[in-house]
Each structure stands twice: as C-alpha cells, then as structure tokens.
C-alpha cells in the first residue's frame, strides 16, 4: 500500500472515530438529565417484564453477553501473544498485543465516562447508566475480534462483523428488557466503543490493515 494512501486512510479512520466520540458526548449531554421520548416509550412498553419470563431470559443472556466476553478474549490475546513470541513470530505477536490494548481502551469507556455523565438508571439499580457497561463489553469484544481477523484471518472478517453486530444487539435488547438501561445508554455504548476503537486502532497502526500483514499463526 502506497505511503500516501496509507496516511490518507489513517486520517479518514481517525476523523470518523472522532466524529463518533463527539456524537457520544453530545448524546450523553442531551439525555443526562431527561430521557428521550423513545427511552420513556420503551420503559413503559416493557414495564414489569423484567420480573416475568422475558426478564428471566434476558438475565441469562446478559450473563453471557456481558463483561465476561472481553475478559475471555483478553486472556486469549495474551496467550496468543506469548505463544507466537516464543515461536519467533514477533509480527503476529505484536498484532495480538496491539489488539489487546485496543480491547482494554474500549472496555474502559464505561468506567471512565459513567461518572462524567452521572445518569440515573430507569429503575433502582447499582451503578450509573450512561453508557451501558454490558453493551460496551460486547461491542469492545466484537471490535477487537474484527480487527484480529482483519490482520490474521481476513476471510473471516465479514462473518465476524455479523457476529459482533448480532451479539451487540442482543446485549442491548437484554439490558433494555431488564429495565436497567435506557435505549440511549446502549446507543451511547456503541458510539463510545466505535470512537475509541477507531482512534486507538489508528494510533497503534492497526488501521488501515496493511496488504503485507503477517500470516496467521
């Protein structure tokens, strides 16, 4: 890939990430003190469902599509980095390490930004609301997995994008059904992860993906 085109793509990805972060911030400020009409409509439509069968199903799914995913992927990335480094494949090991850094930075968005917006939950529930930590977890895992595939298994990228989007939607729906998050909390989580993920991936030279990427381990 020509150096000029590479720089242009890096700027484009970085700017897009910045736009997503700006949208995340504007949305957070807009809903911090007063939920949107869509937020209220969904809460009323699902009123009490978290106590019935839909809530039971959503609770089980939330245990799967939640904070456990980035932890599992993070451990896998560490193991992959160590094994490939021992085999002398430093290029692939470096990809594992950089993707792990992106994963951590994306996951931190809920911890960092929740105290800044101080948004209340739809019902009594520990912790603050914006952005949703569960959706951040799933979206972070999906973003990192897509990056990893783009470098080491490009044939799987489209499939991984579909799985990542589907898992994120499932996590968002579950949190809304459980009435522990407003819809805009889940939307904000996706914007935050997308913004931080793109900016950090550009900074770590994971985007754009190079044509001479290392082979799969």
């Amino acid at each position: 890939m020509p150096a000029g085109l590479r720089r242009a793509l890096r700027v484009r990805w970085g700017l897009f990430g910045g736009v997503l972060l700006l949208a995340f911030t504007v949305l957070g400020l807009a809903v911090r003190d007063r939920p949107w009409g869509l937020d209220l409509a969904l809460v009323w439509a699902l009123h009490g469902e978290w106590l019935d069968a839909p809530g039971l199903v959503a609770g089980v799914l939330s245990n799967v599509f939640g904070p456990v995913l980035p932890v599992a992927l993070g451990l896998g990335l560490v193991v992959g980095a160590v094994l490939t480094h021992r085999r002398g494949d430093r290029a692939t090991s470096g990809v594992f390490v950089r993707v792990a850094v992106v994963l951590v930075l994306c996951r931190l968005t809920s911890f960092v930004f929740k105290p800044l917006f101080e948004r209340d939950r739809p019902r009594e529930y520990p912790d603050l609301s914006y952005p949703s930590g569960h959706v951040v977890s799933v979206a972070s895992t999906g973003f990192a997995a897509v990056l990893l595939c783009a470098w080491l298994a490009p044939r799987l990228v489209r499939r991984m994008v579909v799985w990542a989007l589907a898992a994120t939607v499932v996590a968002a729906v579950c949190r809304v059904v459980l009435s522990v998050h407003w819809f805009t909390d889940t939307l904000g989580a996706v914007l935050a992860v997308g913004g931080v993920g793109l900016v950090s991936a550009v900074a770590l030279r994971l985007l754009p993906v190079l044509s001479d990427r290392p082979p799969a381990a």
Side-chain angles (χ1 to χ4, degrees), residues 45-197:
L46 297 169
H47 182 69
E49 292 293 335
W50 63 279
L51 295 171
D52 296 325
L56 178 62
V57 174
V60 172
L61 290 176
S62 281
N63 290 331
V64 178
F65 295 95
V68 66
L69 291 183
V71 173
L73 178 59
L75 291 175
L77 291 171
V78 171
V79 171
V82 171
L83 292 179
T84 51
H85 182 76
R86 287 182 175 177
R87 288 202 297 263
D89 188 356
R90 294 186 177 181
T92 301
S93 179
V95 172
F96 279 118
V97 171
R98 286 181 288 160
V99 171
V101 172
V102 172
L103 174 65
V104 171
L105 292 176
C106 288
R107 179 62 185 95
L108 286 175
T109 54
S110 63
F111 297 108
V112 172
F113 290 116
K114 277 185 178 181
L116 298 181
F117 292 102
E118 293 187 326
R119 191 185 193 192
D120 293 329
R121 303 262 186 164
R123 63 179 175 89
E124 279 298 320
Y125 199 82
D127 199 7
L128 298 169
S129 193
Y130 185 89
S132 165
H134 274 67
V135 179
V136 163
S137 294
V138 178
S140 300
T141 304
F143 189 95
V146 170
L147 270 182
L148 190 65
C149 287
W151 277 88
L152 304 181
R155 293 182 180 179
L156 299 178
V157 168
R158 290 186 179 180
R159 187 179 302 176
M160 186 57 67
V161 168
V162 172
W163 278 105
L165 292 175
T168 302
V169 169
V170 169
V173 170
C174 288
R175 303 312 282 171
V176 174
V177 169
L178 290 170
S179 294
V180 293
H181 277 293
W182 307 99
F183 167 75
T184 44
D185 295 335
T186 66
L187 176 58
V190 174
L191 292 174
V193 170
V196 172

Side-chain angles (χ1 to χ4, degrees), residues 30-55:
V31 300
R32 178 174 57 183
D33 299 320
R34 180 179 299 177
W36 279 1
L38 180 58
D39 283 331
L40 294 172
L42 287 174
V43 167
W44 280 110
L46 297 169
H47 182 69
E49 292 293 335
W50 63 279
L51 295 171
D52 296 325

